[in-house]
Amino acid sequence: MGPRESLRMLLKPDYQVYTADTVDGGLRLLREKKPDAVISDIRMPGTSGIDGLRKIREIDPHVAVIMLTGFGALDTAQEALRLGANDYLSKPFDAKQMREVISRNVERTRVQRSSDRALAEITELNQRLMRELAQKERLASLGQASAEFVHDLGNPLTIVWGYVQLLAKKLEQNGDTTQTSSKELSIIEQNVRLCRELLTMWQSYGSEGALPRKPISICDIVNDVIKRVESVATQNGVQLTCDTGAQPCSLVGDSVQIERAIQNVVINAIQAAADKKGRVTVTCARGEFYVDVRVQDTGPGIPKSELGKIFDPYFTTKQSKSGTGLGLYITKKVVEDHNGSIKVDSTLDVGTTFTMRLPVQSD
Ligand SMILES: Nc1ncnc2c1ncn2[C@@H]1O[C@H](COP(=O)(O)OP(=O)(O)OP(=O)(O)O)[C@@H](O)[C@H]1O
Ligand SMILES: [Mg+2]
C-alpha cells in the first residue's frame, strides 16, 4: 500500500478524503472540493510539490497545507514553510502525530474561514451603515436648510398678505368695486393664504418631536374653539351648540395642533350649515381609552363620489369662497400624529358628522 492509500485509510473515519496522484489533479480537487487541509508530498511526478504549493496559494490563500518531506530533508521543509506551507511531516510518519497535525490544521482553516466570513459581514454591514449615515446626514442638512427657508419665507409672505388686505380696503374706500379688480385681488389673497397654510404645515412638521408634548384637556380645547368661531356661526345664521360632557379628559399632545384640527372641522360644518341657516353640534364623548370629538351639521351632506377625496390635499368645492382644500388634510395628519383617527358619515340633504377619535391619558 502506497503512502497516499495508507493516509486515506488513516483519515477516513474522521474526514472526507480525496486523493490525486499528480499536482494538477490535486489542484483540480482543491477548486472543486474546497478542502480544509491539503497534504502534499514535496516530491511529486511532473510539477514539484513546491511549485504545487505556490499554485495552491494562488487558488486558496487560507487552506492549511501540510508538506510531506523525505527523511532528513530539513532544508526543503523549511523552504516549504517559507513559501506558505503551514506544517510539515517527515516520512515515514507516525499515525498519531499525523492525526494531531491534521486536526490542528483543519481547525486552523475553519477558524480562518469563519473569521473571514465574519469580517466580510462586518465590512458589508459597515458599508451599509456608512451609506445610511451619509443619507441621513444629507436629509438632516436638507431639513435644516428647509427649516431656514420656510422661516425666511414667512416674513415676505406676511408683508404681501398685509398689503393685499390694505389694497382691498383702499379699493373699497375709493368705491372701486369693479368685478375684475376684486376678483383678481381675491385670487391673490387665496394663493397667499395657501402659501401661509403650506408654511405653517411645514413648520409643524419641523417642530414635530421637538415640541414637548404635554397633557392637554380636550374639553378646554373644544370650548376655546367654540368661543373663537361663535361669531362666524352667528354671522352665517348658524346655531352652534356644544356639549363637552361632565367627564374631563386629557391626552398628551400638541394643543396648538389639536385646536387647529378641531377648528378646521367646525368651520367646515358652519360653512356647510350656512346656506340653510342650520345647526352645528359639537360633543365630546369619553370612552374608556379614547374620546370622540363629534362635529355634526345639518348642511347639504357630501356626495358619495366626493367622500373618498375630502381628506386629499387641495380638494375643495369652495373655489368661489377661497377654500384651499388643506383643512381636512391637515386635520387628518394632526389626528393621526396623535395616534387617533377621523371618520365621516354623511347623508345628502340631511347633514354630515365628523368623528375624531383620540386616545386619552388614563386617570
Ligand atoms: N361638513 C361638511 N359638509 C359638506 N362638505 C364638507 C364638509 N366638510 C368638508 N366638506 C367638503 O370637503 C372639502 C374639503 O374640505 P377642507 O376643509 O379640506 O377644504 P376646504 O374647506 O374646501 O378649504 P379650507 O379648509 O382650506 O378653507 C370641502 O371643500 C367640502 O367640499
Ligand atoms: Mg375647510
Side-chain angles (χ1 to χ4, degrees):
M1 201 190 290
R4 198 166 36 249
E5 210 38 41
S6 55
L7 258 177
R8 180 214 274 286
M9 300 306 289
L10 177 72
L11 300 174
K12 221 169 94 179
D14 301 314
Y15 302 99
Q16 201 162 2
V17 187
Y18 302 98
T19 54
D21 50 10
T22 58
V23 169
D24 285 345
L27 293 175
R28 215 172 304 124
L29 280 175
L30 176 63
R31 283 196 193 90
E32 277 169 23
K33 309 291 181 193
K34 302 215 176 313
D36 290 328
V38 174
I39 306 163
S40 169
D41 206 313
I42 265 187
R43 249 179 294 131
M44 297 281 282
T47 321
S48 86
I50 291 288
D51 283 345
L53 180 60
R54 273 197 206 97
K55 288 183 180 158
I56 289 173
R57 281 285 166 254
E58 278 164 22
I59 296 169
D60 186 341
H62 299 310
V63 65
V65 182
I66 302 144
M67 302 302 280
L68 297 180
T69 60
F71 179 69
L74 201 59
D75 286 355
T76 347
Q78 276 169 350
E79 168 79 351
L81 288 181
R82 204 176 55 76
L83 286 170
N86 300 86
D87 241 319
Y88 70 90
L89 277 168
S90 310
K91 287 189 290 191
F93 51 80
D94 166 65
K96 185 165 170 273
Q97 192 190 7
M98 174 56 97
R99 275 206 207 89
E100 271 172 20
V101 171
I102 296 282
S103 148
R104 192 167 65 225
N105 280 284
V106 162
E107 188 55 28
R108 183 210 307 249
T109 308
R110 287 180 184 165
V111 167
Q112 178 74 48
R113 284 196 181 143
S114 74
S115 76
D116 279 357
R117 268 197 303 278
L119 186 67
E121 273 167 29
I122 288 171
T123 312
E124 215 228 87
L125 189 71
N126 195 33
Q127 280 167 351
R128 211 177 68 214
L129 287 176
M130 294 302 280
R131 277 197 302 274
E132 280 172 15
L133 189 67
Q135 197 179 5
K136 288 235 162 65
E137 275 171 1
R138 263 201 309 278
L139 283 179
S141 58
L142 190 68
Q144 178 64 33
S146 329
E148 284 165 19
F149 171 68
V150 164
H151 178 261
D152 292 348
L153 214 59
N155 294 336
L157 209 55
T158 305
I159 294 170
V160 173
W161 175 258
Y163 275 101
V164 168
Q165 307 283 323
L166 201 69
L167 209 57
K169 210 170 267 167
K170 273 192 178 165
L171 282 178
E172 208 183 295
Q173 280 166 1
N174 295 344
D176 185 353
T177 47
T178 50
Q179 277 292 310
T180 29
S181 47
S182 64
K183 194 174 157 225
E184 281 158 1
L185 212 57
S186 112
I187 293 173
I188 298 175
E189 191 176 346
Q190 188 179 331
N191 283 282
V192 173
R193 198 181 136 192
L194 172 63
C195 293
R196 281 160 57 107
E197 285 287 344
L198 288 172
L199 282 195
T200 318
M201 205 162 71
W202 251 99
Q203 275 163 336
S204 68
Y205 282 158
S207 62
E208 221 174 288
L211 268 183
R213 295 200 153 199
K214 294 187 198 137
I216 50 179
S217 158
I218 279 294
C219 302
D220 288 354
I221 287 181
V222 169
N223 285 322
D224 284 351
V225 169
I226 298 296
K227 255 185 243 145
R228 198 155 338 118
V229 301
E230 237 158 16
S231 59
V232 185
T234 316
Q235 277 163 24
N236 284 281
V238 172
Q239 191 193 329
L240 178 65
T241 51
C242 171
D243 179 8
T244 52
Q247 247 186 317
C249 48
S250 60
L251 57 88
V252 177
D254 181 342
S255 61
V256 176
Q257 299 274 353
I258 292 283
E259 202 169 301
R260 198 151 164 254
I262 297 173
Q263 184 169 311
N264 284 342
V265 179
V266 178
I267 291 275
N268 279 350
I270 294 172
Q271 287 172 342
D275 281 350
K276 282 198 285 176
K277 311 252 175 278
R279 277 192 319 276
V280 170
T281 315
V282 184
T283 55
C284 293
R286 166 91 201 247
E288 196 182 348
F289 302 111
Y290 57 81
V291 58
D292 278 341
V293 180
R294 200 164 288 139
V295 181
Q296 195 174 4
D297 68 62
T298 58
I302 304 169
K304 275 212 161 56
S305 59
E306 288 174 7
L307 271 179
K309 301 182 201 156
I310 56 170
F311 295 106
D312 292 349
Y314 309 113
F315 176 79
T316 179
T317 54
K318 301 175 192 164
Q319 278 91 353
S320 55
K321 294 176 200 154
S322 74
T324 60
L326 285 173
L328 286 179
Y329 170 72
I330 292 170
T331 296
K332 186 167 189 274
K333 165 134 183 54
V334 169
V335 168
E336 286 175 354
D337 280 350
H338 286 78
N339 302 315
S341 62
I342 179 165
K343 78 177 176 73
V344 55
D345 288 306
S346 192
T347 311
L348 281 183
D349 298 325
V350 176
T352 306
T353 304
F354 279 89
T355 309
M356 287 163 276
R357 177 165 287 189
L358 291 158
V360 290
Q361 213 179 17
S362 52
D363 298 324

